[in-house]
Amino acid sequence: MHAAVVVFPGINRERDMAIALEKTCGRKPRMVWHKETDLSGIDLVVLPGGFSYGDYLRCGAMAAQSPVMRAVRAHAERGGHVLGVCNGFQILTEAGMLPGALLRNASLRFLSMDCHLRVERADTDFTRHYQRGQVFRAPLAHGDGNYFADDATLDRLEGEGLVALRYATPDGAIVPEANLNGSARNIAGIYTPNLRVLGLMPHPEDLVDPLMGGTDGKPLFDGLVAALAA
Amino acid sequence: MAQQVNQALARQFGLSADEYAKVLAIMGRTPTLTELGVFSVMWSEHCSYKSSRVWLKTLPTKAPWVIHGPGENAGVIDIGDGLAAIFKMESHNHPSFIEPYQGAATGVGGILRDVFTMGARPIANLNALRFGDPALPRTRRIVDGVVRGIGGYGNCVGVPTVGGEINFHPSYNGNPLVNAMTVGIAPKDRIFLSAAAGIGNPVVYVGSKTGRDGIHGATMASAEFGKDAEEKRPTVQVGDPFTEKLLIEACLELMATDAIVAIQDMGAAGLTSSSVEMAGKGGVGIELVLDQVPQRETGMTAYEMMLSESQERMLMVLRPDRQDVARAIFEKWDLDFAVIGHLTDTGRIVVKHRGVVEADIPLDPLAEQAPLYHRPTVEPPKPAPLGPVADPVGLAAGLMTLIGCPDVASRAWVWDQYDSTVGGQTVKRPGGADAAVVKIEDHARALALTTDCTPRYCKADPEVGGAQAVAEAWRNITATGALPLAVTDNMNFGNPEKPEIMGQFAAAIRGMAAACTALDFPVVSGNVSLYNETEGKGILPTPAIGGVGVLEDASKAVGIALIPELDLVLIGHSAGWLGQSLWLREVAGREDGPPPPVDLAVERRNGDFVRGRILSSTVHACHDVSDGGVLVAIAEMALAGNTGVRLLPEPAGVPPHAFWFGEDQGRYVLAVADSAALLQSAAFAGVPAVRIGQTGGGDLTLPDGGTISLPTLRAAHERFFPAWMNGPATR
Amino acid sequence: MIKATVTVMLKDGVLDPQGKAIGHALHGLGFGNVGEVRAGKVIELELAETDPGRARTQAEDMARKLLANTVIESFKVEVA
């Protein structure tokens, strides 16, 4: 698997992502500066977490306009895989590549804690190493992770099976208490219709090493490596 | 517009009559406004340490692993594997009282710059916070703003906030303390210093533009500014963590080249202190042309530019042949880059603006004749012995009170707003262990980091309190299995012109020095914050200690969380010391007696023993005994692991409440599978050890038969912060 | 030079927790007559432009492309 991690100014989890990718696929990802436009030879493009452009104006709004995003969109249109985590998810929605928007957390506070995520389908390249309904743990760290879309969009996402992950209790219940940031229908991550673009708020890349408290996030990367082995 | 420079103005600038006389003698003429500004900030308490320097010099600062001690932007120690840890703690107390969010945020930004200016990538932030009485609405507003500010800045720059401490006491009502600490890592042969060198070399300004932020307030109130006064009032400094993040990346990229001769961040008194210190340390002169300074506002004067405290700026001396390389890097990161002067052989700082020489000061006398005061001290009186104190409520009620009191209650509400995992190297998050443990990327080793001070001890007996703060930092690092290496200190005190305050300062330093020496734990950097007084009432003396230790193998680190079917063993001697204990204050309602004595030889012996056991991989969890004594320590361990404990009867000879809530020093609770082996090796090492409980189940069962379920205990522990912060709005 | 002011508000129907919190706080301070509160942002643009109509068109274009996220936000442009 040839992965690229896009570096926007203000991104800060690009190193975490690079470590997770190298650990799982044995190859360092290409770090792509936001002014570059060439993604040839890349299987997986990752938009990592952080505060691109300080998250000033709106989270991800300015990064969504940067030159590299034209290439990312073209990559996705070719059927390429894209993973957007946290700020990356916000950028994907701001760029219109995923529907909806990420609003301020319902508590109006930045949240940094572990959450539990229920895998809604296990037949995608991102989740093939999980089971359907499996719950895994991942740190989240964001101020604006409250997923919003209008009811028609939410219904369509659910109807087409495009909800990837939901905030859940450790035993898999989808209840308000587990919905830490107030997201619509507990949605933590969504796919594009071809299931090749995933945006999610939590950080599986920060839980791939027992030393850091667990390996719950590792199957996501292992699955991608298996799917995209070149 | 021209302001008359005279003694009255000098006084407004904070210079005494004697100090102004010295200025006149050095200059041989009346200084210009800009010159007066330079003298006033360089000779301020903040920059010159004029009241504290004589005492700071008595602290031990050397060890074989110390690469740079106090005097640089931050302390530097060798941590093995060719790496250096670079760290410092600094206060932003007053700004955080005026504007809590920005005050705390810019405090974090400032200390980050102190560390990355030396070539380190920051890998962890910590803090030490003291607030006033929670019953005051203002306290809540300040806590909310400070926590948001620390998170807002640290989260955005992508440096994990991994640890810290919070105390409440009415003495901080008008003087909250916000002490921020940053720890960074660099190759030990790639440390960047601030001493300028190379006559003719360009002086380069990078980062944000300069505005009128935080300029010395005194002059602004004077009439000469007329109707513009409102507009020109000093403004609160506003932090821009996004620019700081770019600055970190750009500086580290440039530091990988050989372009930099010297570099210093523009902190307090911005361009003045950075240029004066760089040239002074290098023994060269410096000429600045302020027209070249990137400016955010129009019509700024030389005085304003020299004294501006705009954030996210750095000053560098570059090799002239590498100027283009440097410019390209900063332009890539969209940061201002301007050559604003050059080094000279005159030994003077010359500041030009619009073709006029606005300042021309000889650097040597500016530094060498800086005031140095041996302020009078009064030895703090030793507190009278406490005498016996009866237990008014029993163990269970005492524990429930302590576990929920503001100084012990769960800090999760605070930590949950700090990104503690960014970087992917956080082995022990806040609350997971006595010290935060952060692994070093691409290495097996990790740093253990903590901040500590017990102000109520320091108030009762500053010498014991100073020693205790150092010992507790050492102990917290030890309790993770790490070897403590060095400290940074942040001395927060009242008005140094009062002999009793200076007496507290001197005594605290004496205690710290003794502890640092005995524990091989030298001071490598630090900061002093004086005049923390409101209406003549000073804060509790608060010498906050930031400690750094190293674990060669990060996987050996232990935390405090219990698992079932282990024995709990208490290491260290328990005399049942209740003087100045939290139990005495919260349960018996008294702040009284002497604090627990710190026997440094015992401290070291017990700690070295505990560390050895942890590194032999026979200890599952370890927690030092501090606020609230053994019972609070065990309750915290039980909650962290969601595992109950059945306690054994306390040893004979000490009243139960004194045994379980006493705060004797040098003690640890260890959770082990084989307590017999531990007791045996402790006996062999001459370390007091006693088995005090067993883990398992869902209750904390007390030796007197009382039982508290973990959910009940947890509810009491976790109630304070959310209930307080989400309470009804008040003005 | 023309100044355009872009006011960006969350659309009706999009939950505004910030506005809700402000309203809650105002009630706590005794301002019992406060009904719904909505929080938005104001962006002031200095445009090198002399024609107010063109300035407005440009500002609206900027609002659609960047200043507002029309999935959740509506905007209003004023030209002075």
Side-chain angles (χ1 to χ4, degrees), chain A residues 166-195:
Chain A
R166 289 188 209 261
Y167 299 107
T169 61
D171 48 11
I174 305 300
V175 293
E177 304 86 86
N179 192 11
L180 299 170
N181 53 27
S183 289
R185 305 186 193 180
N186 285 49
I187 291 174
I190 53 173
Y191 298 111
T192 48
N194 71 355
L195 305 175

Side-chain angles (χ1 to χ4, degrees), chain C residues 25-78:
Chain C
L26 289 173
H27 279 248
L29 292 173
F31 296 102
N33 58 348
V34 175
E36 201 192 348
V37 179
R38 308 279 289 171
K41 54 184 161 249
V42 173
I43 298 151
E44 292 181 347
L45 306 163
E46 278 184 9
L47 301 176
E49 183 61 69
T50 49
D51 179 63
R54 271 207 304 270
R56 172 180 298 276
T57 312
Q58 285 175 18
E60 285 173 352
D61 200 28
M62 292 177 203
R64 262 187 301 274
K65 286 209 172 106
L66 180 67
L67 304 181
N69 176 353
T70 53
V71 173
I72 46 170
E73 293 169 329
S74 59
F75 64 87
K76 183 176 77 187
V77 173
E78 283 171 87

Side-chain angles (χ1 to χ4, degrees), chain B residues 653-691:
Chain B
V654 180
H657 66 291
F659 178 82
W660 293 106
F661 297 120
E663 295 181 6
D664 301 274
Q665 297 294 295
R667 296 186 300 163
Y668 304 78
V669 176
L670 271 58
V672 295
D674 184 355
S675 60
L678 176 59
L679 294 174
Q680 195 178 12
S681 61
F684 187 72
V687 169
V690 55
R691 185 164 158 264

Side-chain angles (χ1 to χ4, degrees), chain B residues 135 209 239 262 283 321 343 442 469 486 550 569 575-576 586 602 604 632 681 720:
Chain B
K209 294 187 198 309
D321 56 337
L343 299 184
D442 296 331
V550 69
V569 173
E586 298 290 329
V602 166
R604 176 143 195 170
V632 165
S681 61
F720 169 70

